[in-house]
Amino acid sequence: MLTNCRRGAFSVLSILALSNVLNAQPASELAAASPDKLSVHWEELTASDFREGIRRSQGTCLLPFGILEKHGPHLPLGTDLLDVRYAALHAAEEEYAVVFPEYYFGQIAEARHEPGTMSYSRNLQLALLQETTDEMARNGCKKVLIVNGHGGNEHLLPYFAQSQLDKPHDYVVYVFDERTPQHGGPAKKTTIDMHAGESETSKMMISRPDLVHPDRATNESGADQARQKLPEDVYTGIWWYTRFPFHYSGDGSAATKELCEYQMKWWIDSVVTAIRAVKADDVSLKLQNEFYEKSTHPLDTQP
Ligand SMILES: [Zn+2]
């Protein structure tokens, strides 16, 4: 039975509201102390507040990465975008970082047969992402943490990060690509849960419960059709369609309030941990620069 998790959302929000009350200052002090209230949203900052945001974040900026694609019969096309922004924005409120605006220009060729899919060409995906991180870095984001919200990007993003080694960059690209805990929390009811199923429906019940249509979750089948007979270690691009032709994998009707609260809290906490680790990382840029320098004269590199 799919139950609404709105109360869970309120419980997260009420903690935030409570901390705001605890941090409240008299109105007369607010103007002078306005930097204390810096938004984490890149697009909401003034130019001078942006400068302060970069200082406060120690040059750490988040790029939450969503997509526009069908999410079963019951979730909105922007599910990944809405969810990843919810997790990233709440994490940045807890551990300050500047969060880049809506970004959804990733790999989703496998859903081109479904309505509402925005599937950009591979060259544009890489070029736009490179120019975006280059421009972020030119504005002081020397640590760009891509928070991935879309499973179809799982190969694109490590490839993008690896390709940063092809020529010098004065910043580091980090990728955080976990959305669902592997262990712990309420027991799940379903075994197949890859797209718009129990977990993803649960998270949407926190981020935008008004956009979940529980009554439609069983209108289509999210069962594995297992139509391709190949060994597991042989990969094809059509694998997803052979198993889940309706772009639905799992059963969204299995989502519960307990699961949605647990999973979204886990995701936010995990992004907070990643932001802190990235801020503390003083090795990657240094060794990246050493690597770039050595790569200009490889014959001199000694073991
Ligand atoms: Zn999704």
Side-chain angles (χ1 to χ4, degrees):
M1 179 64 192
L2 193 151
T3 55
N4 198 305
C5 204
R6 201 179 298 255
R7 278 177 53 204
F10 276 129
S11 66
V12 173
L13 291 174
S14 57
I15 292 167
L16 292 172
L18 179 62
S19 69
N20 285 341
V21 169
L22 293 174
N23 292 331
Q25 294 167 285
S28 58
E29 292 177 22
L30 278 180
S34 59
D36 292 337
K37 301 293 177 190
L38 272 188
S39 172
V40 300
H41 295 250
W42 181 302
E43 69 276 21
E44 292 182 1
L45 296 165
T46 65
S48 62
D49 283 349
F50 181 84
R51 187 183 290 121
E52 170 60 17
I54 293 296
R55 190 198 64 76
R56 189 175 298 187
S57 70
Q58 301 161 50
T60 301
C61 302
L62 305 188
L63 177 56
F65 201 139
I67 205 78
L68 292 177
E69 59 167 334
K70 176 183 176 182
H71 271 80
H74 61 296
L75 297 178
L77 296 167
T79 291
D80 289 354
L81 180 65
L82 295 163
D83 277 347
V84 75
R85 290 192 63 78
Y86 186 94
L89 288 164
H90 281 81
E93 302 268 3
E94 198 170 324
E95 181 65 41
Y96 190 85
V98 178
V99 181
F100 193 80
E102 276 78 358
Y103 194 92
Y104 50 88
F105 314 106
Q107 191 297 121
I108 187 54
E110 66 273 27
R112 289 172 66 93
H113 63 306
E114 297 285 5
T117 302
M118 289 300 292
S119 171
Y120 293 92
S121 67
R122 61 181 162 187
N123 289 346
L124 183 58
Q125 290 168 42
L126 288 167
L128 189 58
L129 188 53
Q130 189 70 70
E131 291 212 12
T132 299
T133 57
D134 284 353
E135 279 297 282
M136 291 173 76
R138 192 178 64 79
N139 282 286
C141 300
K142 300 306 181 188
K143 295 176 172 183
V144 176
L145 175 56
I146 300 174
V147 182
N148 185 29
H150 169 54
N153 286 339
E154 65 185 353
H155 302 297
L156 172 73
L157 292 175
Y159 176 70
F160 176 72
Q162 284 178 310
S163 70
Q164 301 311 297
L165 300 182
D166 66 355
K167 63 179 183 190
H169 298 274
D170 66 346
Y171 64 97
V172 179
V173 170
Y174 303 82
V175 177
F176 181 73
D177 193 9
E178 299 289 340
R179 294 172 289 286
T180 303
Q182 299 301 319
H183 310 286
K188 292 203 334 187
K189 298 179 199 160
T190 56
T191 49
I192 292 185
D193 182 28
M194 294 168 73
H195 184 68
E198 188 176 359
S199 293
E200 210 165 32
T201 303
S202 292
K203 288 197 261 307
M204 199 67 201
M205 286 158 67
I206 283 263
S207 62
R208 285 297 300 273
D210 56 312
L211 300 180
V212 180
H213 304 281
D215 52 318
R216 304 183 200 168
T218 54
N219 284 2
E220 296 175 13
S221 170
D224 186 352
Q225 299 201 7
R227 296 179 294 178
Q228 194 182 45
K229 309 300 177 200
L230 286 172
E232 272 191 20
D233 51 4
V234 176
Y235 188 92
T236 65
I238 198 67
W239 76 271
W240 176 260
Y241 183 82
T242 67
R243 293 179 62 181
F244 308 105
F246 309 117
H247 216 55
Y248 184 22
S249 166
D251 180 359
S253 71
T256 61
K257 174 175 172 288
E258 291 71 29
L259 191 65
C260 69
E261 286 179 338
Y262 180 80
Q263 291 211 345
M264 189 54 91
K265 182 176 184 316
W266 179 90
W267 196 5
I268 293 170
D269 290 347
S270 300
V271 177
V272 167
T273 301
I275 296 172
R276 288 179 179 152
V278 165
K279 282 184 177 175
D281 174 29
D282 58 3
V283 169
S284 297
L285 186 59
K286 191 166 134 265
L287 291 185
Q288 201 170 275
N289 287 334
E290 178 185 301
F291 171 85
Y292 292 140
E293 197 283 321
K294 281 188 175 182
S295 68
T296 64
H297 49 95
L299 297 186
D300 299 331
T301 299
Q302 301 296 328

